[in-house]
Amino acid sequence: MYVLDSSAFIHDFHTTEQTATIPLVREELEDESAYRYDAMEGSGMHIHIPNEDTTEKVRRAAKESGDLEVLSDTDVRLVAASFELDGTLVTDDYAMQNVAEKLNVDVEVIAREGIDEQRHWHFQCQGCGREYDEEKDRCPICGSALARKNPN
């Protein structure tokens, strides 16, 4: 089963496999892509609402990987739906791909190349330059904001 992100509707993704998505995706769509969502729902696409335990598991995984700050609630719930349905997540979003890979959820990309490797982001203080492995609201040393930094 393919679990579709908004990019699947925007790029007119086609498959003969069963499809699913979540209600929040419909809110992100406009014009033709919204009509595609409605048409697919009318022709049997499963609309899934992931449970809160799974959604929280995805949030924890995203926090560990450093992707939580860039994922929307819709993104988190799509990964959770893919996890619960044992489906393949269809998305072009790199952060979603990274978290999905951390949770052993299969991913298929549409318009762009997928990720080559899973990343564990570092966070660097914008004031003193110290680096941290996990996200914090502020630097515990100088109080400045932290920015996400590619570990490579």
Side-chain angles (χ1 to χ4, degrees):
M1 173 177 286
Y2 286 110
V3 180
L4 308 179
D5 182 13
S6 57
S7 58
F9 299 99
I10 292 166
H11 295 290
D12 199 13
F13 177 80
H14 287 284
T15 181
T16 57
E17 300 290 321
Q18 285 187 313
T19 57
T21 193
I22 62 172
L24 290 172
V25 167
R26 177 62 174 84
E27 297 172 20
E28 295 182 349
L29 302 173
E30 298 175 349
D31 303 324
E32 289 178 25
S33 55
Y35 295 127
R36 282 188 203 104
Y37 180 105
D38 295 340
M40 288 180 73
E41 182 180 10
S43 64
M45 178 175 64
H46 176 67
I47 307 300
H48 186 77
I49 299 173
N51 72 50
E52 284 304 314
D53 290 344
T54 307
T55 302
E56 192 52 42
K57 178 180 183 143
V58 171
R59 281 194 184 94
R60 282 193 305 272
K63 186 170 177 65
E64 287 173 15
S65 70
D67 292 298
L68 186 59
E69 70 180 48
V70 296
L71 291 177
S72 69
D73 188 47
T74 303
D75 297 340
V76 168
R77 291 179 185 279
L78 272 164
V79 175
S82 300
F83 183 85
E84 285 182 0
L85 297 170
D86 195 25
T88 299
L89 177 62
V90 179
T91 185
D92 280 338
D93 185 292
Y94 289 128
M96 287 175 69
Q97 291 174 42
N98 201 39
V99 175
E101 190 166 303
K102 186 170 181 59
L103 294 167
N104 296 314
V105 171
D106 291 334
V107 176
E108 185 165 319
V109 295
I110 306 162
R112 294 192 250 176
E113 289 185 27
I115 62 172
D116 295 330
E117 65 198 32
Q118 185 178 354
R119 291 192 176 156
H120 182 80
W121 296 98
H122 295 273
F123 299 88
Q124 185 171 26
C125 175
Q126 298 300 288
C128 67
R130 283 188 172 81
E131 290 189 16
Y132 300 94
D133 287 335
E134 56 186 46
E135 186 178 6
K136 303 173 186 312
D137 289 335
R138 300 237 163 247
C139 175
I141 307 300
C142 75
S144 296
L146 301 182
R148 188 166 83 156
K149 180 181 174 193
N150 191 337
N152 296 340

